[in-house]
Amino acid sequence: MLVAEGGKQFITVLEPSKQLQTHKGVLQHQDLIGQSWGTTIFSHTEHSFLLIQPSLRDILLHTKRQSQIIYPKEIGYILLRLSVGPGSRVVEGGTGSGALTTAFAWAVGSDGRVHSYDRREDMLELAHRNLERIGLTDRVDLNQLDVESGFQEKDIQALFLDLPHAHRYLYQAREAMADGGALGAILPTANQVSRFLSELENKRFSLPDVCEIMLRFYKPNPQRLRPMDRMVAHTGYLVFARAVRSPEND
Amino acid sequence: MLVAEGGKQFITVLEPSKQLQTHKGVLQHQDLIGQSWGTTIFSHTEHSFLLIQPSLRDILLHTKRQSQIIYPKEIGYILLRLSVGPGSRVVEGGTGSGALTTAFAWAVGSDGRVHSYDRREDMLELAHRNLERIGLTDRVDLNQLDVESGFQEKDIQALFLDLPHAHRYLYQAREAMADGGALGAILPTANQVSRFLSELENKRFSLPDVCEIMLRFYKPNPQRLRPMDRMVAHTGYLVFARAVRSPEND
Amino acid sequence: MLVAEGGKQFITVLEPSKQLQTHKGVLQHQDLIGQSWGTTIFSHTEHSFLLIQPSLRDILLHTKRQSQIIYPKEIGYILLRLSVGPGSRVVEGGTGSGALTTAFAWAVGSDGRVHSYDRREDMLELAHRNLERIGLTDRVDLNQLDVESGFQEKDIQALFLDLPHAHRYLYQAREAMADGGALGAILPTANQVSRFLSELENKRFSLPDVCEIMLRFYKPNPQRLRPMDRMVAHTGYLVFARAVRSPEND
Amino acid sequence: MLVAEGGKQFITVLEPSKQLQTHKGVLQHQDLIGQSWGTTIFSHTEHSFLLIQPSLRDILLHTKRQSQIIYPKEIGYILLRLSVGPGSRVVEGGTGSGALTTAFAWAVGSDGRVHSYDRREDMLELAHRNLERIGLTDRVDLNQLDVESGFQEKDIQALFLDLPHAHRYLYQAREAMADGGALGAILPTANQVSRFLSELENKRFSLPDVCEIMLRFYKPNPQRLRPMDRMVAHTGYLVFARAVRSPEND
């Protein structure tokens, strides 16, 4: 990753014959290869760039996208709510551009596995390219299947839904899950949250929990510390629940 | 974990001869051992409890504490900002009650390592007990040392400070870090953020970033969806930066 | 108003023979009468109290209540959205404890008029006492009537609804309003907002607008400036619209 | 005010020979004069516009500006904190573009008075034009004076500062204020809040209070209710205090 003065970031894979064109001049990949992390590099117009490894958050924010992506502020919290860590098996309904898929693949490590479903081929191809970029394709199964026909896995401890009409697939989700497993979903509207909660009650889920996360950045000026002028007001409502052996009102 | 009607949670390690006393009656550990996750259990007063595995977030919220702990909403985001995942080596200045230590230990897996420092013996003992509870002690070095005298590690990619006067230890932090490594800190007051940012500029760090995370829960009633009446307004300001080879204004 | 060390406020009307009992000792009303505003007074236990005129905000927060009241953060914004000022005529559906009624009465001045409706006698009596406390009863008509049977006023420029099932009374509201008048409502749940917006479309209203206001306080310590630990997360969703001559989709 | 489809607002004073040019076609002022509020009007390209009286909030948001203005979300709350209503005398240090001046002038009615100070002639001229537009100039004194040399008024109950280095003028503010009067200020940075609070302690002020107000809008779609994507993250910190007869730590 190269960070220009002013903060604009460029994430790229270096190849000897290529060059990086920016609003602050051109950089030859050849000149970057072998440089240490944390070094300052200059473009042909003498603008400085900082060469730095992208954090997982940087990579997630630079996911190439054809759809709304989930932000790092939500993703970090989802990992903790679904206990996704080294060795986990995770199922994802709705691959989309693959930002959350990438985070899951990174968190489960080489012993874990991510099973992701989307019915759109173009989305799966995009997600594949996003995963390939950071070398995580071999931890992920990308399935071109409609979630309506069910997931192929069983006894899953962590399952996440990021789909239109997510409330329609709670039966399929429950069938794939172990007793006690953790379910999560992101839903854009309050109406969808209501429908999702209604369906949860009848589908052997319990402990429903709804929240939203707001992240506010500050201008990092020590003499003039103040929040940025504008912020993201909404990405989605997060809903979590736990799989139980019998319906809530049994 | 047992969840009572109304949502109160009890996390405990089961031992045959013990019993769990709650506001909704008594449960014999003996009766719980061998039960499936997701099962409903009844106390001697016929109140129902749900037997469920605690998520990492549940465990973190139940950290036994003698000090303010960092909340899951911040911890998830810190993992992504510092790229802490399977195999990572992480240094933590300020063990405290060990909530963040636990999350780091969980995220780095059996191939990773967490080096945590605190000068208070009582804190380290508490953190040890909290780690022991979930079997993660063997991934963590707890060092009873004042951070002022420096960290013992070198070439660290991820270092987090949760200490009074954190701005005083930036030299020590930088010495332990690899070029390009990621630094994070949590600071309770705006004044401390200003001081921290001022020090960063002179200590071979760049790309400073300040933010705060707000989490708002909703009452999960599908017919009456609305936010809870009250919420946490502040745990701390998060500051992040990257280690660079030369000072920002070189 | 007397403010104790620590910030606790006591608002009372002084009468020579009375005394004020507090957690920090007793004060004789007789000793307070004639004292200047801004003076420090001592209780019999030598605790200091600041004698100060309550602001409108202080009075509103001390409204004696039998129901949820609207907070000053919302009330100030409502005044601006409904253009309620000197000389205004305002109609309120749902008097409740009378906090908003008080703010309206105060803002319209001696040339304005507030017409407030509630079907519950006990609420109207409580609101009357709250208004009497600050001498504003003569600007307010309190009507013990069900809003379902309609408002008695016509050509009203500003009308506010704070009622259960507010969406049922939009026809009655529109009948009382002038073309172009401003409507406001506070609704506790997202489901009610959806219903209210659906009804608005068919009732000669346009320019619907939904928002929520969050107010976060800080500990006013110059060396340790930081937000309070907790805050109000929700009082209600505010909905505004304008009365138009023909339905939106005519 | 004319509101186009999509919500864009045009506030103008009608003159027979003029026309309003918009992105959705041209409207002749002549055709608008005499029309009822709440009427739908069509441009020469057949786009519809709603003719509606601007609310005070609409007027404030359309203040012609050369400087950052205070938003309605803050202004409404300031009115309640300073008890500015019919008949009030208010002093304002820092006229700026005159948005808050306009709100004060509107709220105090024809019996009240607003005394506003700015050392910049261009700002006062701009504020004058903004006040003229809605006919409120005769309630406002605009003084081209540096606040450092003091305010000309005495015994003021409500005084507001919106000035660079506001903490330098607390002595002058206190001199103009009555015992028990209410002071307010808006400050852009946390550092300024700290300095302001430090100065307050020594200048016969007490009961300091710091807060910030966040306003989040929703897309008013009843079937797809959700917050807007982005929002204002910061306009300023609000600080309030009360004038007392002797310093806090006397």
Side-chain angles (χ1 to χ4, degrees), chain C residues 1-4 7-14 32 35-41 49-59 62, chain D residues 81 83 157 174 177-183 204-208 240-246:
Chain C
M1 179 168 75
L2 287 154
V3 185
K8 197 164 157 54
Q9 301 180 343
F10 303 87
I11 296 184
T12 189
V13 177
L14 297 179
L32 301 173
Q35 294 281 358
S36 305
W37 296 119
T39 302
T40 301
I41 310 283
F49 287 79
L50 188 59
L51 180 68
I52 208 111
Q53 290 154 285
S55 70
L56 177 60
R57 177 247 188 180
D58 298 323
I59 289 167
H62 283 81
Chain D
R81 291 297 297 245
S83 302
Q157 293 290 346
R174 183 65 188 86
M177 291 175 73
D179 293 339
L183 172 76
R204 287 184 295 141
F205 285 104
S206 189
L207 307 181
F240 298 100
R242 300 300 292 267
V244 292
R245 292 174 66 86
S246 47

Side-chain angles (χ1 to χ4, degrees), chain C residues 3 36-39 50 52-53 55-58 60 72-73 75-77 79-81 83-86 106-107 109 157 179-180 190 193-194 197-198 201 206-218 220-223 225 237 242-245, chain D residues 3 36-39 50 52-53 55-58 60 72-73 75-77 79-81 83-86 106-107 109 157 179-180 190 193-194 197-198 201 206-218 220-223 225 237 242-245:
Chain C
V3 185
S36 305
W37 296 119
T39 302
L50 188 59
I52 208 111
Q53 290 154 285
S55 70
L56 177 60
R57 177 247 188 180
D58 298 323
L60 295 175
K73 67 187 169 90
I75 291 176
Y77 191 67
L79 294 178
L80 267 58
R81 290 296 298 245
S83 301
V84 173
W106 171 83
Q157 291 291 346
D179 293 339
V193 174
S194 285
L197 290 172
S198 292
E201 291 177 359
S206 190
L207 306 180
D209 206 6
V210 180
C211 64
E212 55 182 335
I213 296 175
M214 296 177 85
L215 175 63
R216 186 166 73 155
F217 286 99
Y218 282 70
N221 180 332
Q223 276 77 48
L225 184 67
Y237 298 98
R242 301 299 291 267
V244 292
R245 291 173 66 84
Chain D
V3 185
S36 305
W37 295 119
T39 302
L50 188 59
I52 209 114
Q53 289 155 284
S55 70
L56 177 61
R57 176 248 185 181
D58 298 323
L60 295 174
K73 65 188 170 91
I75 291 177
Y77 191 67
L79 294 178
L80 266 58
R81 291 297 297 245
S83 302
V84 173
W106 171 82
Q157 293 290 346
D179 293 339
V193 173
S194 285
L197 290 172
S198 292
E201 290 177 0
S206 189
L207 307 181
D209 206 6
V210 180
C211 65
E212 55 182 337
I213 297 175
M214 296 176 85
L215 175 62
R216 187 165 72 154
F217 286 100
Y218 283 68
N221 180 331
Q223 274 78 48
L225 185 67
Y237 299 98
R242 300 300 292 267
V244 292
R245 292 174 66 86

Side-chain angles (χ1 to χ4, degrees), chain B:
Chain B
M1 180 168 75
L2 286 154
V3 185
E5 295 154 41
K8 196 162 159 54
Q9 301 179 344
F10 303 87
I11 296 184
T12 189
V13 177
L14 296 181
E15 297 177 44
S17 61
K18 287 202 172 170
Q19 58 181 31
L20 177 69
Q21 310 243 7
T22 80
H23 63 308
K24 301 246 177 162
V26 177
L27 294 132
Q28 303 299 326
H29 284 205
Q30 186 60 54
D31 300 343
L32 301 174
I33 293 171
Q35 294 281 358
S36 305
W37 296 119
T39 303
T40 301
I41 309 284
F42 293 88
S43 71
H44 81 294
T45 53
E46 300 288 320
H47 286 97
S48 70
F49 287 79
L50 188 59
L51 179 68
I52 209 113
Q53 289 154 285
S55 70
L56 178 61
R57 175 246 187 182
D58 297 325
I59 289 166
L60 295 174
L61 287 178
H62 282 81
T63 299
K64 285 189 180 60
R65 64 187 82 176
Q66 288 172 23
S67 59
Q68 171 73 16
I69 63 161
I70 309 184
Y71 281 89
K73 67 187 168 92
E74 275 92 24
I75 291 177
Y77 191 67
I78 291 167
L79 294 179
L80 267 57
R81 290 297 297 245
L82 302 194
S83 302
V84 173
S88 295
R89 288 169 64 222
V90 191
V91 167
E92 181 187 40
T95 312
S97 306
L100 183 58
T101 322
T102 300
F104 282 153
W106 172 83
V108 301
S110 52
D111 300 335
R113 191 96 202 137
V114 181
H115 307 275
S116 189
Y117 290 76
D118 208 296
R119 59 179 185 186
R120 286 179 56 179
E121 192 177 359
D122 57 339
M123 282 301 179
L124 291 169
E125 279 170 11
L126 176 62
H128 183 79
R129 284 198 303 278
N130 278 317
L131 286 162
E132 204 165 34
R133 200 176 46 142
I134 54 164
L136 293 177
T137 50
D138 59 351
R139 300 177 185 177
V140 183
D141 287 327
L142 295 175
N143 300 290
Q144 195 190 337
L145 286 169
D146 194 320
V147 169
E148 191 156 16
S149 53
F151 298 98
Q152 298 168 312
E153 290 73 29
K154 293 285 170 201
D155 286 319
I156 290 293
Q157 293 290 347
L159 189 147
F160 196 84
L161 298 175
D162 180 12
L163 282 170
H165 314 296
H167 65 282
R168 294 183 188 162
Y169 311 118
L170 285 170
Y171 173 80
Q172 291 85 337
R174 184 65 188 86
E175 286 295 296
M177 291 175 75
D179 293 337
L183 172 76
I186 189 163
L187 301 168
T189 73
N191 314 64
Q192 286 174 277
V193 174
S194 285
R195 277 195 292 272
F196 195 86
L197 290 172
S198 293
E199 287 299 316
L200 270 184
E201 290 177 1
N202 308 310
K203 295 284 188 299
R204 288 185 293 142
F205 286 104
S206 190
L207 306 181
D209 206 7
V210 180
C211 64
E212 55 182 336
I213 296 176
M214 297 176 85
L215 175 62
R216 187 165 71 154
F217 286 100
Y218 283 69
K219 300 188 183 176
N221 180 332
Q223 276 78 50
R224 296 187 53 75
L225 184 66
R226 49 158 293 182
M228 297 285 185
D229 292 316
R230 296 184 69 77
M231 64 187 279
V232 171
H234 186 69
T235 32
Y237 298 98
L238 293 175
V239 187
F240 298 100
R242 300 299 291 267
V244 292
R245 291 173 66 84
S246 47
E248 194 158 320
N249 306 312
D250 206 23

Side-chain angles (χ1 to χ4, degrees), chain A residues 86-155:
Chain A
S88 294
R89 287 168 66 222
V90 191
V91 167
E92 181 187 39
T95 312
S97 306
L100 182 58
T101 322
T102 301
F104 282 152
W106 171 83
V108 300
S110 52
D111 300 335
R113 191 96 202 136
V114 181
H115 306 275
S116 189
Y117 290 75
D118 210 296
R119 60 179 185 185
R120 286 179 56 180
E121 193 178 357
D122 58 338
M123 283 302 180
L124 292 169
E125 279 171 11
L126 176 63
H128 183 78
R129 284 197 303 278
N130 278 318
L131 287 162
E132 204 165 35
R133 203 175 45 144
I134 53 164
L136 294 177
T137 49
D138 59 347
R139 299 177 186 176
V140 181
D141 289 326
L142 294 175
N143 301 289
Q144 195 191 336
L145 286 170
D146 193 321
V147 169
E148 190 155 16
S149 53
F151 298 98
Q152 297 167 314
E153 290 72 31
K154 293 284 169 201
D155 286 320

Side-chain angles (χ1 to χ4, degrees), chain A residues 47-225:
Chain A
H47 286 96
S48 70
F49 287 77
L50 189 59
L51 180 69
I52 208 113
Q53 289 155 285
S55 70
L56 177 61
R57 176 249 188 181
D58 297 324
I59 289 166
L60 295 175
L61 285 179
H62 283 80
T63 300
K64 286 189 180 59
R65 64 187 83 174
Q66 287 172 23
S67 60
Q68 171 73 17
I69 63 161
I70 307 183
Y71 282 89
K73 65 187 169 91
E74 275 92 24
I75 291 177
Y77 191 67
I78 292 167
L79 293 179
L80 268 58
R81 291 295 298 244
L82 302 194
S83 302
V84 173
S88 294
R89 287 168 66 222
V90 191
V91 167
E92 181 187 39
T95 312
S97 306
L100 182 58
T101 322
T102 301
F104 282 152
W106 171 83
V108 300
S110 52
D111 300 335
R113 191 96 202 136
V114 181
H115 306 275
S116 189
Y117 290 75
D118 210 296
R119 60 179 185 185
R120 286 179 56 180
E121 193 178 357
D122 58 338
M123 283 302 180
L124 292 169
E125 279 171 11
L126 176 63
H128 183 78
R129 284 197 303 278
N130 278 318
L131 287 162
E132 204 165 35
R133 203 175 45 144
I134 53 164
L136 294 177
T137 49
D138 59 347
R139 299 177 186 176
V140 181
D141 289 326
L142 294 175
N143 301 289
Q144 195 191 336
L145 286 170
D146 193 321
V147 169
E148 190 155 16
S149 53
F151 298 98
Q152 297 167 314
E153 290 72 31
K154 293 284 169 201
D155 286 320
I156 290 293
Q157 292 291 346
L159 189 148
F160 195 84
L161 297 175
D162 180 12
L163 282 172
H165 313 298
H167 64 282
R168 294 185 188 161
Y169 311 118
L170 286 169
Y171 174 79
Q172 289 86 337
R174 184 65 188 86
E175 286 295 295
M177 293 176 73
D179 292 339
L183 172 76
I186 188 162
L187 302 167
T189 73
N191 313 64
Q192 285 174 279
V193 174
S194 286
R195 275 196 293 270
F196 195 87
L197 291 172
S198 292
E199 287 297 317
L200 271 182
E201 291 177 1
N202 307 308
K203 294 286 188 299
R204 288 185 295 143
F205 285 103
S206 190
L207 307 180
D209 206 5
V210 181
C211 65
E212 55 181 337
I213 296 175
M214 296 176 86
L215 175 63
R216 187 165 72 153
F217 286 99
Y218 283 69
K219 299 186 183 179
N221 180 331
Q223 276 77 49
R224 296 186 53 73
L225 183 67

